[in-house]
Amino acid sequence: MLIRSGSRGAIVKSFQQFLIDSGHLKDVADGIAGPKTAAGIRSFQSAKGLKADGLAGKDTQAAAKADGWASDKPKAINVSDAIKRASEITGISERMLVAFEATESSGNPSAVRFEPHMFLRNRKDLAGKIPFTPGPKRFSVTRSETNRSALERAYKLDSVAAVRSTSWGLFQVLGSHLLAIYGKPDSGVAAFDSNPELVSFELVASWFKANPAAVKAANDLDWEELVRRYNGPGNVAAYSAKLK
């Protein structure tokens, strides 16, 4: 496919993102090639000693592939009805939701991760009762401090703080959204345990609804900004590379 001003589609969007990542285009990857995309193509062509005509044909695309453009056509994916529905509700692409699911939980809807540092931030008075060993990035990497048993231990001391300080389900959304949906900790945890997949999609829909800037970053394929908003400022480079 020849990519030129006026071209549209997934291949165009993929090539735009390549130009953005390689510093030749300062725009968004929207799948619609306009004057900025053509200028970005010319910039890349000049850097590679190619005819700078703004038309990404066979030679230009071959040079792009040699520089890391992984594919000119996205691979087909199979998605569940739940993913399709979540995509409609959130405005996030099915592919992006699948990527989040794989990155956050490896597809385990029952996954929970209790964060003792978050719990103790709000309940400093319980420091002696909640085990917490700070890791290199100041959160715990000790499984016994972050697993379901750790959550249940904290839950007995302060159920609201425990739920808020836990990431839930396929997309590892923090429990403030579980409380927003179900009101009380007992109701939210019971719903999650009864149908973790359903609740997982309710949670990710709630999160993106509350974070329109993250929706924009996701649709612009602005990986670093998306990760900062979804997962915080720590580990942005590694997380965004894995998500991408």
Side-chain angles (χ1 to χ4, degrees), residues 8-228:
R8 294 171 176 256
I11 294 175
V12 175
K13 187 171 185 176
S14 173
F15 200 79
Q16 287 174 321
Q17 189 61 48
F18 164 76
L19 293 173
I20 292 167
D21 292 342
S22 56
H24 294 285
L25 175 61
K26 293 184 178 180
D27 199 11
V28 297
D30 59 4
I32 304 172
K36 290 184 180 180
T37 300
I41 293 171
R42 288 194 294 271
S43 175
F44 175 73
Q45 289 169 326
S46 295
K48 294 300 174 181
L50 299 169
K51 181 181 179 180
D53 57 7
L55 308 176
K58 181 179 179 181
D59 292 342
T60 300
Q61 292 184 30
K65 287 180 180 179
D67 265 16
W69 184 36
S71 173
D72 59 1
K73 185 177 181 180
K75 296 179 180 178
I77 58 171
N78 293 318
V79 297
S80 66
D81 289 340
I83 284 279
K84 293 177 181 178
R85 179 60 179 155
S87 176
E88 294 172 359
I89 293 172
T90 62
I92 304 300
S93 74
E94 295 169 1
R95 301 181 72 86
M96 184 67 77
L97 290 171
V98 169
F100 266 115
E101 180 180 305
T103 302
E104 289 287 352
S105 70
S106 299
N108 177 14
S110 297
V112 296
R113 178 181 169 85
F114 172 68
E115 298 289 1
H117 72 286
M118 295 183 66
F119 183 88
L120 293 172
R121 188 183 301 159
N122 296 311
R123 291 302 307 268
K124 295 178 182 179
D125 58 307
L126 297 175
K129 297 182 179 181
I130 297 296
F132 173 40
T133 308
K137 296 183 181 297
R138 294 183 293 180
F139 56 80
S140 177
V141 294
T142 304
R143 179 60 180 160
S144 62
E145 297 177 356
T146 63
N147 60 14
R148 183 66 186 250
S149 295
L151 163 62
E152 291 172 354
R153 179 169 53 241
Y155 193 92
K156 293 177 182 177
L157 299 172
D158 186 330
S159 59
V160 171
V163 170
R164 287 184 180 277
S165 304
T166 299
S167 299
W168 299 85
L170 288 168
F171 305 96
Q172 291 293 277
V173 176
L174 281 172
S176 57
H177 292 275
L178 190 66
L179 294 175
I181 295 169
Y182 290 96
K184 297 180 179 179
D186 287 352
S187 300
V189 174
F192 178 81
D193 287 341
S194 176
N195 194 335
E197 183 175 27
L198 172 62
V199 174
S200 291
F201 286 107
E202 289 178 338
L203 289 171
V204 77
S206 174
W207 191 90
F208 275 110
K209 183 178 181 181
N211 291 275
V215 175
K216 183 178 186 303
N219 290 327
D220 290 346
L221 297 184
D222 185 347
W223 303 101
E224 289 77 14
E225 179 64 15
L226 175 60
V227 167
R228 287 189 191 96

